[in-house]
Amino acid sequence: MIIENSSDLIRAWKLLTLVDGTPVAEAELVNGNALVISPQSIALFRRPGDCVDPLAGGMIRNEALAQGLALHSPFIEEHRAGFVGLTGGLALLIGLNDVRMYPNRNDALRNQNVICELSLAVD
């Protein structure tokens, strides 16, 4: 019997449209939370689907991107283990405690020049 183990921290992801018409990428994390990437921010939600339901109350926290920095759909180009390659060359590293955004893959792999950081702690 072959046992398949994966180190991917993202189970699956999909494109969604928020109530206000904003396109987002929602990534379901292995712990069941959802990481939502929008043009202007990244956010952590309790469950997948909470971002499109304004009455769900599932937002845990969000982090706005710096002025002048905007992401574009489809947002996620690749993901493997805790690395997420974003459109436009940006990169995310998902760790045990946080998500960090970097200007490119090399900076992410060297853990330098962090653009923003979002805690994954659930209160």
Side-chain angles (χ1 to χ4, degrees):
M1 172 166 43
I2 297 176
I3 298 174
E4 182 180 328
N5 287 327
S6 173
S7 60
D8 282 349
L9 298 179
I10 294 178
R11 283 188 186 144
W13 73 275
K14 60 185 169 185
L15 290 173
L16 299 172
T17 303
L18 300 181
V19 174
D20 67 0
T22 303
V24 298
E26 179 185 68
E28 181 182 355
L29 303 177
V30 294
N31 67 357
N33 293 142
L35 179 66
V36 176
I37 304 165
S38 74
Q40 301 298 325
S41 67
I42 56 175
L44 182 67
F45 285 82
R46 294 196 188 282
R47 293 166 300 281
D50 282 357
C51 67
V52 293
D53 182 358
L55 300 177
M59 182 186 285
I60 298 170
R61 70 184 47 83
N62 72 336
E63 181 69 32
L65 301 181
Q67 281 289 49
L69 183 62
L71 300 172
H72 303 285
S73 185
F75 304 103
I76 297 175
E77 290 185 345
E78 65 174 308
H79 66 88
R80 183 178 38 238
F83 175 82
V84 182
L86 302 174
T87 54
L90 296 171
L92 292 177
L93 277 185
I94 303 171
L96 296 174
N97 301 315
D98 59 15
V99 175
R100 294 179 183 170
M101 183 179 290
Y102 298 88
N104 57 59
R105 153 183 258 133
N106 290 331
D107 282 352
L109 296 176
R110 290 182 180 93
N111 193 21
Q112 53 189 4
N113 302 319
V114 175
I115 294 172
C116 70
E117 186 173 353
L118 178 75
S119 171
L120 293 176
V122 177
D123 303 331

